[in-house]
Amino acid sequence: MSKDSQMRAAINQKLIEMGERERLKELLRAKLVECGWKDQMKGHCKDVIREKGLEHVTVEDLEAEITPKGRALVPDSVKKELLQRIRAFLAQHSTL
Amino acid sequence: MSPAGCPHVNGFKVDNWRQNLRVIYQCFVWSGSVETRKRKAKSCICHLCGAHLNRLHSCLNCVFFGCFAKKHIHEHAKNKRHNLVSNWSLIRYRRGDRVVNSIDLLYGGIYCFLCQDYIYDKDMEQIAKEEQRKAWKLQGVGEKYSTWEPTKREMELLRHNPKRRKITSNCTIGLRGLINLGNTCFMNCIVQALTHTPLLRDFFLSDRHKCEMQSNSCLVCEMSQLFQEFYSGHRSPHIPFRLLHLVWTHARHLAGYEQQDAHEFLIAALDVLHRHCKGDDNGKKSNNPNNCNCIIDQIFTGGLQSDVTCQVCHGVSTTIDPFWDISLDLPGSSTPFWPLSPGGDGSTLNGESHLTGATTLTDCLRRFTRPEHLGSGAKIKCSGCHSYQESTKQLTMKKLPIVACFHLKRFEHSAKLRRKITTYVSFPLELDMTPFMASSKESRMNGQYQQSIDVFNNDNKYSLFAVVNHQGTLESGHYTTFIRQHKDQWFKCDDAIITKASIKDVLDSEGYLLFYHKQFLEYE
C-alpha cells in the first residue's frame, strides 16, 4: 500500500473510532438534500429505470449510470465545508 | 430486481441466522458503541487488497471482507467452498454450501451472486432496521425520519377506499357549520375552537383513542366522531345532538335550554374528556394521579406558580397548581384594575396598539402576574416566623401549556350587579409569554433588570388560532367563533353559517375566549 493510501486508511480508522464519520455522513446527507442534489439524483435514477425497464434493471446499472453524474454534481460549497470539517477534526486529534 | 426476496437466501436462513445477522450489523455496518466502532475501524478492510473504500462487502457465511468494485468479493464467492473454520464462534459454517450472499458494509444491503443483484428479504430488512435504530440510539442521534411503509392491512384499506382528497391552500376541509339546537351556540363555539386545535385534530384523526368505557356514553368517542364529520368533506351543517345529550349527561349543571356560559362549557368539556381518556396514556402509569398523561393534559394543562412572601422574614412559600385556562380581570369591573404605565415590559414586545389607550392582553397579563399585597385582614401563617404575618402574593407561569386559553372576565356576577363588561381589549396575533414566566421573575429578582429579549428562545412564543366572541347582553346573547385555517386564513363560525373573515375582523372583535398555540413544539 502506498504512503498515500496508508494515510487514508489511518484517517478513516480514526474517523470511525471517534464516531466522526457518522456525523460527517449526516452532515453531508443534510447538505445534499438542502441543495437539491438528492432530488436531482432521484430524477436521474427514474430516467435510467424507465430506459432499462423496471423488471430488468439492476443496482449495477444504476450505479454505473449515476455515479459519474453524482460526483460531478456535488456543489463546491458542500465539498469545501466537508473538507473544512475533516481538517478541523484532524487538527484536534493531531496524534495522527 | 423482484421485491419478493430471492430463493437463494434460504440457504443462509438456518439455525441461529438471525442472531448472526444481528452481530454482523452491530459490529460492521451500524456500529453504535465505542467498542464496535473501534473494531469496525480496524477490521473493515478488504482481505485481498487492504483498501477500505471500493464498496466493501462482507461474506454472509464466513469472515471475509472484500471490495465490490474490484471484484475481490466475487472471487471469494466463486473460489471458496467453505471449508474454512471461522475463528468467530458465532458464525457457523455449512459444509458444502456455496457462498451466495454478501452484505454491503456501508448501507447494509444484501447482494446475491446468483441473482446478480441486491435482494430485499422482509425478515432481513426487519433486522437491519432494528439494528440501525439501536445504533442511532447508542450514538445519541435519536429517531430519524423514515418514510411510511404501509402494512398489509393498510394496503387493503387503501385499495377498498379509492377516494383520495388533496388539500390545497384554499380548500375548506375541516370547516363545517353546526346547527343551533336551541341556545346551544355556547357549545357550538367551543366545538369550533376544539376541532381546529391542530394537536387535538391530529390525535383524533389518527385514531389514537382506545375506549375503555363499556357504555355508549364516552365523550372522547363522540369527539372522535365529530372530527370524522368535520373532515368528511360534507358542506352541510352538522347536527350535534349526540354531543349535546352526552354533555347533559355528564355535566348536569349545563343541561337545559337556557343560554349557558361558553367558558363554563369549555372547562366542563375538558374535564369530562380528561376523565374519559383513561386508557390513552400509552400504558404509562402516571405516579401522580393529578398529573395524567392524556391528550387533554398534554395539550391544555399548564402550571401556575403562586409565591407567598412573608413581609417580615421574606421567606417564600411556593405552590404550583395545574390550570387549563387563565381568567383575566378587566378594567371597569368592581375589582380595581390598576392602571399601568404604557410602554412597560411586555406591551412593546407583543406589538399591541397603545394608540387609543386601549387595554391590551399583555396589560391584563401583567396585572395578573403582579405582586399583590394581602392586607392585614388576610394574614398568612409563615413557617419561618411561626406566626401570622402580612404577606404579598404573586402568580407566574411555571409551565406553559401547548394551547393557552385566555378567558376575559366579561360577565360580572357580584352580589349587587350582574352585567357584561364590554371594554375593548386589544390582543395580538403573536404572543410572547416570556415576561410572565416564573423563570423571568427569578432573573429579575436576581438583579438582571434588563431582560434582553432572547430572540433565539422560541419556547414561549404563541400564535392566535381561535377567538370566541359574545354579542349581546347577559340575558340574551349569542356566541360566535373566529378560527384560523391554514396559515393566514380566518373564518367566522356562526352556528350553521361559515364565512370568510379578515385578520382585521378578528383583531377588532371584542374577544371573550382567546386560544393561542405554541409556535414551536419540542419532543420530550
Side-chain angles (χ1 to χ4, degrees):
Chain A
M1 259 213 293
S2 69
K3 202 98 197 261
D4 200 30
S5 44
Q6 258 185 344
M7 167 118 282
R8 267 183 148 169
I11 294 178
N12 184 57
Q13 254 193 37
K14 198 77 191 191
L15 283 173
I16 297 180
E17 268 180 47
M18 310 291 300
E20 182 70 7
R21 192 163 201 273
E22 282 304 309
R23 284 190 283 271
L24 288 172
K25 231 165 79 169
E26 279 321 298
L27 176 66
L28 181 60
R29 203 169 266 148
K31 292 276 158 199
L32 290 175
V33 166
E34 260 173 43
C35 69
W37 180 93
K38 184 175 176 197
D39 292 326
Q40 268 182 311
M41 285 298 112
K42 213 168 168 189
H44 285 314
C45 283
K46 286 192 188 163
D47 291 338
V48 173
I49 294 173
R50 240 172 263 142
E51 250 182 70
K52 300 264 160 87
L54 185 58
E55 288 304 311
H56 307 292
V57 71
T58 64
V59 178
E60 297 310 300
D61 296 331
L62 284 172
E63 204 238 335
E65 294 277 338
I66 69 170
T67 303
K69 272 207 191 93
R71 285 192 193 277
L73 285 174
V74 177
D76 282 336
S77 55
V78 176
K79 290 185 190 165
K80 227 167 128 180
E81 182 158 356
L82 260 294
L83 211 55
Q84 255 177 353
R85 276 287 288 260
I86 297 175
R87 280 212 181 96
F89 172 80
L90 292 176
Q92 259 190 328
H93 302 90
S94 54
T95 53
L96 274 175
Chain B
M1 189 168 62
S2 157
C6 95
H8 313 117
V9 99
N10 292 324
F12 173 76
K13 282 170 139 182
V14 290
D15 299 327
N16 206 12
W17 71 273
R18 280 177 214 271
Q19 190 52 32
N20 294 345
L21 191 60
R22 279 188 197 279
V23 173
I24 297 182
Y25 274 112
Q26 280 168 20
C27 295
F28 301 114
V29 186
W30 316 117
S31 307
S33 68
V34 179
E35 306 86 49
T36 50
R37 278 210 299 268
K38 273 202 156 88
R39 184 158 9 143
K40 176 173 169 146
K42 287 223 167 63
S43 54
C44 280
I45 50 172
C46 175
H47 286 196
L48 279 187
C49 72
H52 64 271
L53 300 165
N54 303 327
R55 285 174 67 197
L56 209 60
H57 278 62
S58 158
C59 174
L60 270 187
N61 293 71
C62 73
V63 186
F64 180 87
F65 299 142
C67 305
F68 194 91
K70 303 256 171 87
K71 304 284 185 205
H72 295 156
I73 190 133
H74 296 71
E75 266 182 59
H76 173 88
K78 223 166 31 154
N79 303 339
K80 299 294 172 193
R81 273 306 266 153
H82 254 329
N83 35 26
L84 281 169
V85 179
S86 164
N87 58 2
W88 202 11
S89 56
L90 289 166
I91 296 200
R92 294 183 39 179
Y93 68 91
R94 309 276 304 162
R95 232 193 287 265
D97 276 348
R98 285 197 57 191
V99 180
V100 290
N101 310 114
S102 73
I103 186 171
D104 170 4
L105 289 180
L106 265 187
Y107 300 106
I110 312 276
Y111 186 87
C112 174
F113 289 98
L114 291 179
C115 294
Q116 298 245 315
D117 200 1
Y118 285 95
I119 53 122
Y120 306 96
D121 182 277
K122 212 168 44 167
D123 299 325
M124 296 170 108
E125 295 271 304
Q126 178 72 13
I127 292 178
K129 273 207 181 75
E130 285 168 14
E131 291 307 317
Q132 192 177 39
R133 280 214 171 88
K134 275 194 223 163
W136 282 340
K137 230 175 164 178
L138 279 175
Q139 288 168 352
V141 172
E143 212 40 68
K144 277 199 234 182
Y145 169 75
S146 58
T147 50
W148 169 61
E149 272 158 34
T151 60
K152 231 181 178 166
R153 171 85 183 117
E154 283 166 347
M155 298 278 279
E156 225 182 285
L157 283 171
L158 285 170
R159 268 195 293 268
H160 287 316
N161 296 285
K163 186 171 176 194
R164 301 279 179 270
R165 202 171 281 136
K166 184 173 178 187
I167 311 281
T168 55
S169 55
N170 57 358
C171 77
T172 55
I173 192 137
L175 279 174
R176 214 172 158 191
L178 288 164
I179 298 280
N180 188 320
L181 297 167
N183 273 330
T184 59
C185 53
F186 72 94
M187 180 178 80
N188 289 349
C189 68
I190 298 295
V191 171
Q192 293 291 1
L194 290 178
T195 49
H196 290 91
T197 302
L199 281 179
L200 207 57
R201 174 201 62 201
D202 293 347
F203 176 83
F204 281 109
L205 288 182
S206 46
D207 261 335
R208 299 255 298 278
H209 170 60
K210 309 272 179 285
C211 196
E212 279 185 12
M213 283 183 75
Q214 313 294 40
S215 60
N216 249 354
S217 64
C218 175
L219 191 63
V220 189
C221 287
E222 182 53 35
M223 227 21 223
S224 193
Q225 251 321 99
L226 212 61
F227 273 93
Q228 292 296 321
E229 291 288 341
F230 268 68
Y231 284 85
S232 62
H234 293 138
R235 294 171 70 94
S236 58
H238 173 64
I239 311 172
F241 62 91
R242 249 199 331 257
L243 178 68
L244 186 65
H245 175 75
L246 280 179
V247 166
W248 284 359
T249 314
H250 292 295
R252 302 221 168 237
H253 60 287
L254 292 173
Y257 279 109
E258 306 165 350
Q259 178 70 265
Q260 306 285 355
D261 183 349
H263 173 247
E264 267 200 63
F265 176 77
L266 171 68
I267 299 301
L270 289 180
D271 185 50
V272 177
L273 286 171
H274 157 74
R275 276 189 279 131
H276 289 188
C277 264
K278 284 247 186 63
D280 293 339
D281 57 1
N282 302 321
K284 279 183 278 191
K285 284 291 169 241
S286 48
N287 1 11
N288 183 358
N290 290 336
N291 188 13
C292 91
N293 206 24
C294 69
I295 189 69
I296 301 294
D297 274 325
Q298 281 177 45
I299 299 179
F300 293 97
T301 304
L304 189 63
Q305 178 165 321
S306 167
D307 296 311
V308 177
T309 311
C310 170
Q311 288 304 91
V312 174
C313 72
H314 297 289
V316 184
S317 141
T318 304
T319 49
I320 299 176
D321 290 310
F323 69 86
W324 275 333
D325 68 320
I326 300 282
S327 289
L328 300 168
D329 288 311
L330 296 180
S333 64
S334 35
T335 49
F337 188 91
W338 297 13
L340 296 158
S341 48
D345 71 302
S347 61
T348 42
L349 181 66
N350 287 315
E352 291 150 319
S353 61
H354 252 299
L355 303 166
T356 52
T359 318
T360 67
L361 179 65
T362 26
D363 286 336
C364 296
L365 281 168
R366 262 188 289 149
R367 183 188 176 281
F368 184 75
T369 53
R370 83 204 182 299
E372 191 186 340
H373 185 87
L374 303 173
S376 47
K379 287 190 180 171
I380 306 280
K381 177 134 193 233
C382 171
S383 48
C385 304
H386 300 293
S387 59
Y388 284 88
Q389 302 293 353
E390 285 192 19
S391 51
T392 56
K393 174 174 144 176
Q394 186 175 18
L395 295 172
T396 46
M397 310 284 168
K398 177 70 179 168
K399 170 185 174 263
L400 288 173
I402 297 181
V403 169
C405 170
F406 298 107
H407 167 227
L408 301 178
K409 289 158 82 172
R410 295 194 176 278
F411 299 124
E412 180 123 17
H413 295 280
S414 64
K416 292 183 236 166
L417 20 85
R418 294 179 73 235
R419 62 181 174 124
K420 179 185 171 189
I421 301 163
T422 54
T423 321
Y424 171 68
V425 175
S426 118
F427 48 89
L429 268 183
E430 321 260 295
L431 177 67
D432 191 328
M433 291 291 287
T434 312
F436 313 111
M437 301 294 293
S439 48
S440 300
K441 174 192 158 204
E442 270 150 34
S443 41
R444 274 201 294 275
M445 281 166 58
N446 291 338
Q448 298 162 249
Y449 269 103
Q450 264 324 346
Q451 254 262 285
S452 57
I453 293 149
D454 184 359
V455 285
F456 294 113
N457 179 10
N458 292 317
D459 265 355
N460 307 325
K461 296 208 168 92
Y462 284 79
S463 294
L464 186 68
F465 73 95
V467 178
V468 170
N469 282 307
H470 178 269
Q471 290 121 305
T473 64
L474 253 177
E475 288 76 36
S476 77
H478 182 55
Y479 285 103
T480 55
T481 311
F482 284 110
I483 52 111
R484 182 172 168 185
Q485 171 99 331
H486 307 305
K487 189 158 194 277
D488 286 313
Q489 290 183 44
W490 288 83
F491 289 85
K492 180 173 182 179
C493 304
D494 184 346
D495 283 333
I497 304 171
I498 313 278
T499 44
K500 195 139 193 338
S502 69
I503 294 182
K504 187 173 187 307
D505 291 335
V506 180
L507 295 179
D508 283 347
S509 66
E510 206 175 67
Y512 176 53
L513 295 173
L514 308 169
F515 291 84
Y516 284 86
H517 198 290
K518 244 192 194 177
Q519 277 181 20
F520 297 94
L521 299 177
E522 278 169 13
Y523 289 103
E524 263 164 44

